[in-house]
Amino acid sequence: MYFRYQDSPIGPLLLAGDEAGLRLLHMETERPTELDPLWHPATRQLDAACRQLDEYFAGKRKRFDLQLAPQGTEFQRAAWQALLEIPYGQTISYATQAMRIGRPKAVRAIGLANGANPIAVIIPCHRVIGRDGSLTGFGGGLERKAILLRLEGAAMQPVQDQLQLI
C-alpha cells in the first residue's frame, strides 16, 4: 500500500492505495490517522488522484475518473455506489439513498455506511443531507461538508425526495 498527503482547501488529505486502486482518502482532523508500518510513501502511484482532486477543488472537475477499491461489507459497498451516482452539485436525503439501494427502512444504516466511507470527497457522502435540508453526519465535520457543497454550488435547502411510493 502506498500513501501520500495532499494539501486542499479543506485541510490536509491522506490518500492510500495499491494496484487495485484508491482505498483511502481521509481528512486530517484533530486525531491524526495512524499509518500502517507496512505502507510506503508514494512516488507516482497517487499522482492521478492528487491531480484530479486539485482540479475538483479548482472547480474544473465535476466527476472523478479513478480506479476505486474501498473495502467494506456488501451493504456498505451498495451505499457507496449509490453515493457515486449523485450528480455534482446535487444533494439527496438519507431516505432517498436507502430507497435507491432497495432498503427503504435502512436509513440509519445508510448513515453508518456513509460514516464508514473510506474515500471521502471522491465517493461524495457530503452530498447526502437531512430531509429538512440540514447538514448532518460528516466524518470530516459539518464545516467541511458545507465547504464542499458550496464549492459544488449545491442547494442546501429541504430535499425534495424524488421517490414514488408504490
Side-chain angles (χ1 to χ4, degrees):
M1 184 87 82
Y2 294 93
F3 75 94
R4 175 176 171 175
Y5 286 95
Q6 175 77 0
D7 289 329
S8 82
I10 58 172
L13 304 174
L14 170 64
L15 290 86
D18 58 20
E19 59 282 338
L22 186 65
R23 294 190 180 275
L24 174 78
L25 188 157
H26 183 81
M27 291 169 273
E28 289 296 308
T29 57
E30 308 80 49
R31 196 181 61 194
T33 303
E34 289 189 36
L35 297 178
D36 187 310
L38 298 177
W39 289 8
H40 305 284
T43 52
R44 303 191 65 98
Q45 294 88 346
L46 298 170
D47 283 358
C50 291
R51 185 186 73 256
Q52 289 186 32
L53 282 163
D54 285 344
E55 292 167 356
Y56 169 80
F57 287 117
K60 297 176 182 174
R61 176 171 289 276
K62 295 183 185 212
R63 193 168 183 83
F64 291 93
D65 182 24
L66 299 167
Q67 181 67 36
L68 305 178
Q71 294 181 313
T73 67
E74 184 177 332
F75 179 84
Q76 288 172 326
R77 289 190 313 273
W80 302 334
Q81 182 59 46
L83 293 171
L84 289 167
E85 295 166 8
I86 305 169
Y88 178 95
Q90 294 185 24
T91 58
I92 65 169
S93 70
Y94 293 91
T96 297
Q97 185 182 359
M99 290 291 287
R100 286 183 178 180
I101 68 165
R103 302 281 302 273
K105 295 183 182 203
V107 176
R108 287 188 182 178
I110 284 291
L112 292 172
N114 290 357
N117 173 9
I119 308 175
V121 182
I122 293 172
I123 298 179
C125 53
H126 60 277
R127 295 179 187 156
V128 181
I129 62 176
R131 186 176 285 187
D132 64 356
S134 60
L135 299 186
T136 59
F138 188 62
L142 296 182
E143 184 177 326
R144 283 188 178 113
K145 186 171 189 165
I147 290 168
L148 293 168
L149 291 173
R150 277 195 304 271
L151 170 79
E152 295 184 10
M156 291 181 278
Q157 55 193 355
V159 176
Q160 298 296 319
D161 288 323
Q162 310 92 13
L163 302 175
Q164 297 289 329
L165 298 178
I166 298 174

